[in-house]
Amino acid sequence: MGLQQTMKALADPIRREILDLLKSGRMSAGDIASHFDVTNASISRHLSVLKEADLIWNVREGKFIYYELNTSVLEEVLWWISDLKGE
């Protein structure tokens, strides 16, 4: 996905907090939702936006779907930011 879509996904504070939660390892949607005071449908939409931006991916295991960080896209964003700074 493009940088513009990635940056748009990162613009939302709930999505940034979801990424922060996933730093410690994969989580189910229910585990993620338990950290927020919003509906499950809202969390599902946030997860979809993050997935469409390739910031996360999911793995199905039985009845559960687990979400994980896609660190390669985050590395690209960090590279782009450091390139802007001229480092």
Side-chain angles (χ1 to χ4, degrees):
M1 286 295 126
L3 184 61
Q4 183 173 348
Q5 190 172 9
T6 301
M7 298 304 270
K8 182 178 177 182
L10 291 172
D12 187 277
I14 289 178
R15 291 194 283 268
R16 290 193 308 269
E17 194 169 340
I18 290 170
L19 293 174
D20 194 46
L21 287 170
L22 292 174
K23 285 191 310 189
S24 61
R26 71 185 195 154
M27 297 176 75
S28 70
D31 290 338
I32 293 167
S34 71
H35 288 86
F36 299 94
D37 192 24
V38 297
T39 66
N40 287 349
S42 178
I43 293 299
S44 180
R45 179 67 188 134
H46 286 298
L47 290 169
S48 291
V49 170
L50 290 169
K51 190 173 172 195
E52 288 169 10
D54 289 333
L55 289 165
I56 63 172
W57 59 59
N58 62 337
V59 176
R60 179 177 288 278
E61 290 185 13
K63 295 189 289 184
F64 296 97
I65 298 175
Y66 293 94
Y67 294 87
E68 301 178 50
L69 284 177
N70 180 358
T71 55
S72 64
V73 172
L74 294 171
E75 288 169 359
E76 279 183 43
V77 171
L78 290 174
W79 175 83
W80 180 79
I81 290 170
S82 68
D83 193 44
L84 284 177
K85 293 171 57 177
E87 295 178 5

